[in-house]
Amino acid sequence: MSIDYNTSHNESGSELQGSILCGILGSVIGMIVCILVMLLCSLCQMESSGIMLQLFAGLVIGWFYRLFHGRRSKTAAYVTVGVCTVSASVLWGVLMALLPVFVSPAPFTAADWGRLWGEIWELLLLCAGLGMIGFFLTRKSLLAYADWKRGPWHIAYAGGNGYSYNLLPEKLPAVNPPAYFAIHSRFAPGTRIIVEGSSLRWRRRLRKDRVFSIHDVAGVVLGPGNGCNVLYDKNYQVLAKFAGSMEHADLMFLWLLQREIPIVNVPAGWHSPDKANPEPESVKPSVFPQQFTLRLKRSTRIGFTGIGWFLLLIGVALFLALDFSALTMAERTAIIFLELAVMGMGIVYLRMGKINGLEVDGEQMRVVSRFGRATEFSVRDVSSVSRSMGWIVLYDREFKTLAKVDSYLEDMERLKGYMASYGIKM
């Protein structure tokens, strides 16, 4: 897949360009912070940590460059951050070499100074090399900021997520997407994009939600298998990003395609269904109330029970085999705590095989987790379902987690039919 940069948008205002002086100021402050941290590691007898931190100095200085809104030019950013990164490593090496001069009570002779300067030159080459290596290894975020018109492409093509993280579907769904749906991450709970009408909400863990309209989206960049897909605005700023491995990602692609959002390198097999095609009618709820209980599969219950008894026997065997009279008080306390922890886990595993399950009584559902936490709600509160690793996650109307159903329950087809009778697809 070739990288096709979209340059059809208008030039943004000068306020987005940043300032060279602000970039230099931010880089110098980042350089000082890096030197102080590396010196602190050296004073705490952690010289090896100080040397390794040089590989991350470019990342920290680049972050300060962006924080102070440095010039959004690849040349200016590379020169400023690169020089400050190498300078931070070199200054740290010089200060480390001169540290014995300040702490030694004996005066330095000419021979001592000659030997010291020889060590400094050797250390300077090492530190400068580490600084340059660290800068080129951590320059991706700086490149996305400085080369701002290509920032979405840099982010989309940044690897490290695994080859199958962003595998794109060969074909899109044959039915129009609903007016209200969400994209769920299978690997990072809490990360999702909620689509409601013409607005989108990007929810991320430990970060503020980002809300924007479909009219703010200027285009979409499709990344490779180990990258991601990026939505950007007219100023090439990232609005949201998602992966093809997420739940309902195919609906998102279809939703964007139907709203004529430019998608870079759109696959040839992607086609929008006929807009005149009516939406599939929701299946009406069954007039007969259903009542059933699902438990863990027999093999899973046997596995939990076997692990529980094994841990209990290990705890009892340790208690009988050890001679507590020959141990100190601290050793006795540690062993007792260890045995209690092992036996406690054994009891928990024995309990898992008995209490975990799902109860359905008409429209009421009761889900009991592996640790005994019960959650009761109505099936009408469920808006969507996604499958995660070992779990079936039920979401409410706000796409918050209602409950997690163990995927190892028996007779899952019965649960699937029950949910389908209320128009909920599993």
Side-chain angles (χ1 to χ4, degrees):
M1 181 182 293
S2 61
I3 304 177
D4 182 19
Y5 297 111
N6 189 343
T7 59
S8 61
H9 301 295
N10 297 328
E11 297 289 335
S12 63
S14 59
E15 65 275 4
L16 294 176
Q17 296 292 335
S19 170
I20 294 179
L21 293 178
C22 292
I24 294 175
L25 177 61
S27 299
V28 171
I29 293 177
M31 178 182 68
I32 295 174
V33 170
C34 292
I35 293 174
L36 292 177
V37 172
M38 289 188 290
L39 283 177
L40 182 62
C41 292
S42 302
L43 293 176
C44 295
Q45 305 299 322
M46 299 170 60
E47 289 84 358
S48 59
S49 299
I51 294 175
M52 293 302 298
L53 285 176
Q54 294 183 70
L55 297 175
F56 301 96
L59 183 64
V60 176
I61 296 173
W63 183 82
F64 275 94
Y65 184 91
R66 302 193 307 273
L67 180 65
F68 281 75
H69 301 288
R71 184 71 174 179
R72 304 193 78 166
S73 166
K74 185 177 178 180
T75 303
Y78 269 39
V79 170
T80 305
V81 177
V83 169
C84 289
T85 301
V86 176
S87 300
S89 301
V90 169
L91 288 176
W92 174 77
V94 172
L95 292 175
M96 282 299 300
L98 294 177
L99 190 60
V101 178
F102 300 105
V103 300
S104 177
F108 266 55
T109 63
D112 294 332
W113 281 108
R115 177 180 52 81
L116 181 61
W117 284 115
E119 294 177 357
I120 287 178
W121 281 112
E122 294 179 358
L123 193 60
L124 288 182
L125 294 176
L126 174 63
C127 293
L130 288 176
M132 289 300 296
I133 292 173
F135 169 71
F136 281 102
L137 289 178
T138 59
R139 73 186 190 280
K140 290 182 179 179
S141 56
L142 179 65
L143 180 61
Y145 172 82
D147 197 9
W148 59 281
K149 286 189 176 181
R150 300 180 181 181
W153 282 264
H154 293 306
I155 295 175
Y157 280 79
N161 298 314
Y163 180 74
S164 60
Y165 179 71
N166 191 37
L167 287 182
L168 303 177
E170 296 182 359
K171 296 182 180 180
L172 298 181
V175 295
N176 296 324
Y180 189 55
F181 66 95
I183 307 172
H184 309 281
S185 174
R186 304 176 190 269
F187 311 104
T191 303
R192 61 180 69 97
I193 299 177
I194 300 174
V195 178
E196 184 176 9
S198 61
S199 65
L200 298 93
R201 178 187 296 272
W202 186 23
R203 286 185 176 177
R204 297 165 292 176
R205 298 185 66 185
L206 306 177
R207 301 181 69 179
K208 186 178 179 180
D209 292 356
R210 179 176 295 173
V211 182
F212 55 95
S213 171
I214 185 62
H215 305 292
D216 299 326
V217 182
V220 182
V221 180
L222 302 181
N226 62 342
C228 62
N229 310 301
V230 177
L231 281 67
Y232 62 92
D233 61 12
K234 63 180 181 180
N235 294 324
Y236 301 92
Q237 303 299 299
V238 176
L239 294 173
K241 56 184 181 179
F242 65 98
S245 61
M246 291 184 174
E247 190 84 15
H248 303 149
D250 53 349
L251 290 178
M252 184 67 174
F253 292 128
L254 178 58
W255 187 80
L256 293 168
L257 195 65
Q258 288 183 341
R259 279 146 185 84
E260 299 181 352
I261 300 298
I263 301 178
V264 179
N265 295 328
V266 58
W270 286 11
H271 299 287
S272 176
D274 186 5
K275 293 184 178 180
N277 185 27
E279 298 287 340
E281 297 183 359
S282 300
V283 182
K284 296 182 179 180
S286 174
V287 295
F288 300 103
Q290 301 189 40
Q291 187 174 9
F292 58 89
T293 300
L294 301 183
R295 299 178 61 194
L296 286 174
K297 295 179 180 178
R298 186 171 181 272
S299 58
T300 307
R301 295 199 305 269
I302 293 175
F304 281 140
T305 303
I307 295 174
W309 281 113
F310 175 76
L311 293 176
L312 285 176
L313 292 176
I314 288 292
V316 173
L318 286 175
F319 182 80
L320 296 177
L322 292 176
D323 184 9
F324 285 90
S325 61
L327 301 176
T328 63
M329 182 60 67
E331 292 173 340
R332 294 177 190 173
T333 304
I335 291 176
I336 289 175
F337 274 112
L338 177 62
E339 291 185 355
L340 290 177
V342 172
M343 297 178 72
M345 286 301 299
I347 295 174
V348 169
Y349 272 100
L350 286 175
R351 194 164 178 260
M352 281 182 183
K354 297 180 179 180
I355 63 175
N356 191 17
L358 169 68
E359 299 177 5
V360 173
D361 186 4
E363 293 185 354
Q364 292 299 119
M365 301 180 66
R366 185 173 185 268
V367 179
V368 182
S369 67
R370 292 178 180 178
F371 295 96
R373 182 176 177 272
T375 305
E376 297 185 8
F377 52 91
S378 172
V379 67
R380 297 186 182 274
D381 297 332
V382 182
S383 65
S384 64
V385 180
S386 68
R387 290 183 176 270
S388 183
M389 298 179 62
W391 299 99
I392 299 174
V393 187
L394 309 180
Y395 298 95
D396 61 9
R397 300 297 175 184
E398 297 296 327
F399 290 97
K400 297 180 180 178
T401 302
L402 276 174
K404 291 184 178 181
V405 180
D406 201 313
S407 60
Y408 296 101
L409 295 180
E410 58 187 3
D411 200 6
M412 290 298 294
E413 292 298 325
R414 187 170 186 179
L415 177 62
K416 186 181 296 185
Y418 170 76
M419 301 296 285
S421 67
Y422 287 89
I424 303 170
K425 182 180 178 180
M426 288 186 59

